[in-house]
Amino acid sequence: MTLANGRPLLAIPGPSVIPDRVLAAMHRPAPNIYEGELIEMTDTVLRDLRRVARTEGEVCIYIGNGHAAWEAALANTLAPGDRALVLATGRFGKGWAEMAKTRGIDVDLLDFGTERPVDPAEVEARLKADKGGKVRAVLTVHTDTATSVRNDIAAIRAAIDAAGHEALFMVDCIADLACERFEMDAWGVDVTVSASQKGLMTPPGLGLVFFGARARAARARLGAVSSYWDWVPRTEGGVYYQKFCGTAPTHHIFGLREALTMLLEEEGLEAVWQRHRHLAEAVWTAVGHWAAGGPLRCNVPDRLHRSTAVTAVLTGEADAEALRRWCADRAGLTLGVGLGLSGPTKGSRTPGLFRIGHMGHLNPPMLLGTLATIEAGMKALGIPHGDGALSGAAAVIAKA
């Protein structure tokens, strides 16, 4: 028997739940791409994206996913033979490093494992040892979506400064932009990459790159950059189509405009961050109760280093895939697969791990329903777990 005959709930770490208002804003005829509403709306979208990233710098929209944003950032700042120091806390930091290698960039990988954040002291020491200043860029992620480790971006910037190093600082904020506090300018980030499908509550299809003056100077050093990735015509060209190197992603822009209105004008960014913090605390509390009587635990032991957008849950000997399958087939809840941690894998998946996405368009009924369904699945499958998870999560929400 299945009880999944209602509206399904997506609790994966992106794409996140798309608000009905965003879908409605996109459900319209194709617009005039030469003049009028779309051109004016795009200017407001670019302005408000800067507000979300907390930057006075430039922003480019690429028709693509987060990987496209990775490549755009690399193409405009680093040439083949340049060296980059990549600080990895999971699969996605390493993925950015692999992409850099395919572009002929010399990558120095500093791997911090899958349960702890980047250690700024190690970064400072590595950069101090770079006597010739060969490292041109330091790359890291704010939240690694695979592990749910959150890095202290301001502390890493301080380490770069303490080393007296001139490397660009480039940050992947794909998983948690508009979920977690991020201060691009105040934290000294030169390039930020993100995408539309997570905290920005818009369908996948837009890669975002924000950059400041030091990154602009790095681009000038390169000379020619492929016409599609080049951010110069996208930000300095005088014709609308140059912003996208061709036809604009029209309906994504309509959807993103509605999402930005919801985030900035109606809820307010500070309130958005606080909402995500409370909902994340509810998840962590529930998992803590389950852990008291069974094998489940949060992948990141220290709450201070956990993302407020996604929680990776280790299941020990319990079958995470069976739990995910039960939740989807019997109850209509989709949880995130395990990705890229150590141990046995099935393809790219880690069987002893699932992920709860708590990002974007989310409220207590949705989250408590997710937690209750996971607990029902554990009961149905005979997975041992402690009591009090739901009441504990409810108590966290009650204090908000």
Side-chain angles (χ1 to χ4, degrees), residues 4 11 25 32 48 71 74 91 97 104 110 120 137 143 169 181 195 214 248 254 263 293-294 315 320 340 353 376:
N32 185 344
D48 286 349
E71 184 146 9
L74 295 170
R91 174 174 177 172
L110 199 53
T143 286
F169 188 26
R181 178 176 291 277
R214 297 182 71 242
F254 290 126
L263 291 167
T315 62
L353 171 74

Side-chain angles (χ1 to χ4, degrees), residues 71-281:
E71 184 146 9
L74 295 170
N76 282 280
T77 56
L78 298 171
D82 284 346
R83 178 171 296 175
L85 175 62
V86 179
L87 316 175
T89 52
R91 174 174 177 172
F92 289 91
K94 292 178 180 177
W96 204 3
E98 289 299 321
M99 179 175 284
K101 289 178 182 178
T102 67
R103 296 189 57 84
I105 296 165
D106 183 8
V107 172
D108 186 4
L109 182 67
L110 199 53
D111 188 353
F112 293 88
T114 59
E115 296 185 3
R116 67 183 181 105
V118 169
D119 182 348
E122 292 186 46
V123 177
E124 181 181 344
R126 182 65 66 93
L127 291 176
K128 281 182 175 178
D130 181 33
K131 300 299 184 182
K134 293 182 179 180
V135 173
R136 287 192 173 272
V138 176
L139 281 60
T140 196
V141 298
H142 192 206
T143 286
D144 194 293
T145 322
T147 62
S148 68
V149 173
R150 177 180 55 81
N151 287 309
D152 188 336
I153 300 303
I156 298 171
R157 173 78 260 178
I160 297 170
D161 292 343
H165 208 285
E166 293 299 317
L168 291 175
F169 188 26
M170 302 167 62
V171 178
D172 170 339
C173 202
I174 295 169
D176 60 13
L177 189 68
C179 302
E180 184 94 50
R181 178 176 291 277
F182 184 77
E183 304 276 359
M184 179 172 171
D185 289 356
W187 293 351
V189 177
D190 297 302
V191 179
T192 299
V193 301
S194 194
S196 58
Q197 73 270 21
K198 298 182 188 263
L200 292 173
M201 307 183 301
T202 303
L206 302 181
L208 310 173
V209 180
F210 305 81
F211 61 95
R214 297 182 71 242
R216 190 181 301 111
R219 163 64 188 88
R221 173 183 69 88
L222 295 182
V225 171
S226 71
S227 59
Y228 187 79
W229 297 125
D230 193 355
W231 65 35
V232 172
R234 288 172 178 265
T235 56
E236 299 179 13
V239 183
Y240 179 74
Y241 80 85
Q242 291 178 290
K243 294 182 185 297
F244 305 101
C245 194
T247 304
T250 54
H251 289 67
H252 275 78
I253 293 173
F254 290 126
L256 184 55
R257 175 62 273 161
E258 189 69 17
L260 289 167
T261 297
M262 294 171 69
L263 291 167
L264 294 171
E265 308 306 331
E266 297 177 6
E267 187 173 8
L269 195 55
E270 292 281 351
V272 171
W273 292 336
Q274 292 173 14
R275 172 167 56 86
H276 281 84
R277 169 58 57 179
H278 286 300
L279 296 176
E281 289 280 357

Side-chain angles (χ1 to χ4, degrees), residues 46-47 49-59 183-186 189 210-213 216:
L46 295 172
R47 177 200 68 204
L49 285 172
R50 294 188 190 95
R51 292 172 63 191
V52 173
R54 310 283 265 217
T55 182
E56 296 296 323
E58 301 286 353
V59 57
E183 304 276 359
M184 179 172 171
D185 289 356
V189 177
F210 305 81
F211 61 95
R216 190 181 301 111

Side-chain angles (χ1 to χ4, degrees), residues 14 19 33 47 97 151 313-314 324 339 356 386 392:
I33 62 171
R47 177 200 68 204
N151 287 309
V313 181
L314 297 174
R324 285 186 57 258
L339 291 177
I356 304 171

